[in-house]
Amino acid sequence: AVLVLVTVGAALIAAPLVLVAVLLGLVLLPPAADGNAQPFRTGFAVFRHGALRTVGALVVATLLLLVSWSIAFALGFFVTGVLASAITWLWFGIVGVVLLCWFSARYRRATPR
């Protein structure tokens, strides 16, 4: 819930900050969902485990989100009505699930059990 409030606040301040908030969420949501008491410390353990791969994953996530926002913007202009809304929600849902699963797997590999 706090991450949603931070993202909305970032959107009110400046649109590019939303991207930063979403990328921060990709790093912090897996340890929070794991029930970890310190998601900042354990969330950023993925950088200690494989810094280049994590930075690469963040770059890929950034590009995927930018392309997704561009597609949603184009759909808003060229496809109207319920179809555009349904396609946009479906696309962002699929992208969100894929990115969260990818970063959850990175978190699992970085934390010892």
Side-chain angles (χ1 to χ4, degrees), residues 28 31 36-48 107 111:
L28 295 180
N36 201 314
Q38 298 176 341
F40 277 97
R41 185 177 59 84
T42 56
F44 289 104
V46 294
F47 287 99
R48 287 190 301 271
Y107 167 71
T111 55

Side-chain angles (χ1 to χ4, degrees), residues 38-82:
Q38 298 176 341
F40 277 97
R41 185 177 59 84
T42 56
F44 289 104
V46 294
F47 287 99
R48 287 190 301 271
H49 184 260
L52 288 178
R53 287 187 182 186
T54 303
V55 169
L58 287 173
V59 168
V60 168
T62 301
L63 293 175
L64 188 58
L65 288 170
L66 290 175
V67 167
S68 296
W69 284 328
S70 300
I71 290 171
F73 189 69
L75 277 174
F77 276 119
F78 300 118
V79 181
T80 59
V82 177

